[in-house]
Amino acid sequence: ALNPNLQSRGALVVLEGLDRSGKSSQCSQLLSHLQSIGCSAELWRFPDRNTAVGQMISAYLSNQSNLDDHTIHLLFSANRWEKRSMIEEKLKSGTTLIIDRYSYSGVAFSSAKGLDFDWCKAPEIGLLAPDMVLYLDISPEKAAERGGYGDERYERLDFQGKVREKYQALHDASWKMVDACLPMEEVQKKLREYVLECVAACKNGKALSHLWS
Ligand code: DGP
Ligand code: NA
Ligand code: NA
């Protein structure tokens, strides 16, 4: 409901999906669209490979280093925690954030390796909860047809299948499922509708909440 006493804030919108689901290009198009209609918005991504922690993650993903599964899980989580206060400041200043991957990737990818699901969720507790999660749904087979996977760790058909199952166990009322196999423009159209709805709700006083809610 409309609450004129609250300063209007930006929306926290997360895009999730398997590798090669089209997330990153959909994110850029969303950002351009929001900016073109005068909405203050930024595009962020996790892992953020620019920080010291992010560089350790990047070395791990490109197979230049090996780390225990629990250790890398906690590094991915730390990489989100180190941005937590900046995310809150941005939102409170009225900027909408489109984020390419978040805690759901953290839990889906690590639990797909066999780590305990609830153990994987624990370090994410207290991070800001997205106002909306847009899940670009694609089968690993279809994703692999898109020019094949790259050389990074995790970019294998069998593993991506397990990740998809874990994603299915995470989805809640804040999730919108979008068929990533639709033509790109149609995917974009649906994403825009959802995001605009979410931006309006946040402007009208929707409260920020925390994971896992
Ligand atoms: P990207 O930069 O979006 O291509 O992500 C790099 C890879 O890392 C991709 O295969 C997804 C995976 N990933 C992203 N976030 C996490 C996380 O928090 N934990 C784990 N284990 N994997 C993640
Ligand atoms: Na990737
Ligand atoms: Na990506």
Side-chain angles (χ1 to χ4, degrees):
L2 190 81
N3 183 343
N5 298 319
L6 283 175
Q7 194 204 336
S8 78
R9 67 165 178 96
L12 180 55
V13 177
V14 166
L15 272 81
E16 288 282 1
L18 298 184
D19 287 291
R20 305 201 68 87
S21 56
K23 247 176 339 76
S24 300
S25 45
Q26 293 292 346
C27 279
S28 326
Q29 290 180 41
L30 266 180
L31 179 72
S32 311
H33 178 67
L34 290 173
Q35 292 177 336
S36 77
I37 59 170
C39 175
S40 166
E42 291 183 15
L43 171 54
W44 290 26
R45 64 178 311 141
F46 288 111
D48 177 338
R49 303 188 191 212
N50 299 310
T51 68
V53 171
Q55 283 165 22
M56 293 176 72
I57 295 170
S58 188
Y60 172 82
L61 287 171
S62 57
N63 295 303
Q64 290 166 307
S65 73
N66 279 314
L67 292 169
D68 167 76
D69 290 341
H70 301 81
T71 309
I72 186 64
H73 181 74
L74 296 172
L75 288 177
F76 272 109
S77 184
N79 188 232
R80 287 182 280 275
W81 274 102
E82 62 186 343
K83 299 286 170 177
R84 188 205 178 283
S85 59
M86 274 185 272
I87 291 177
E88 188 165 1
E89 282 164 28
K90 284 285 175 190
L91 297 175
K92 289 188 168 163
S93 75
T95 299
T96 284
L97 295 180
I98 304 293
I99 305 189
D100 187 345
R101 297 194 183 284
Y102 198 57
S103 302
Y104 312 94
S105 285
V107 177
F109 280 78
S110 290
S111 66
K113 297 173 179 174
L115 298 188
D116 180 75
F117 194 73
D118 289 324
W119 185 89
C120 291
K121 287 176 81 172
E124 311 295 319
I125 294 173
L127 288 173
L128 292 171
D131 293 298
M132 185 177 273
V133 178
L134 298 166
Y135 182 77
L136 295 192
D137 191 36
I138 190 168
S139 70
E141 292 78 13
K142 286 274 181 208
E145 281 170 18
R146 298 180 163 182
Y149 288 117
D151 296 329
E152 285 206 328
R153 205 185 283 261
Y154 303 151
E155 297 192 351
R156 301 185 327 264
L157 197 61
D158 56 337
F159 186 70
Q160 296 280 326
K162 290 184 190 158
V163 173
R164 192 185 192 206
E165 284 174 22
K166 298 298 180 183
Y167 267 131
Q168 280 159 2
L170 279 166
H171 97 258
D172 62 31
S174 69
W175 285 50
K176 306 291 177 193
M177 310 294 278
V178 177
D179 180 356
C181 293
L182 292 171
M184 268 181 78
E185 313 74 59
E186 276 181 53
V187 172
Q188 181 62 206
K189 186 166 172 273
K190 287 179 191 286
L191 296 179
R192 285 179 189 179
E193 285 169 9
Y194 285 134
V195 170
L196 291 178
E197 193 182 292
C198 183
V199 166
C202 295
K203 220 176 216 169
N204 291 340
K206 178 181 183 291
L208 265 175
S209 60
H210 300 90
L211 291 177
W212 293 89
S213 59

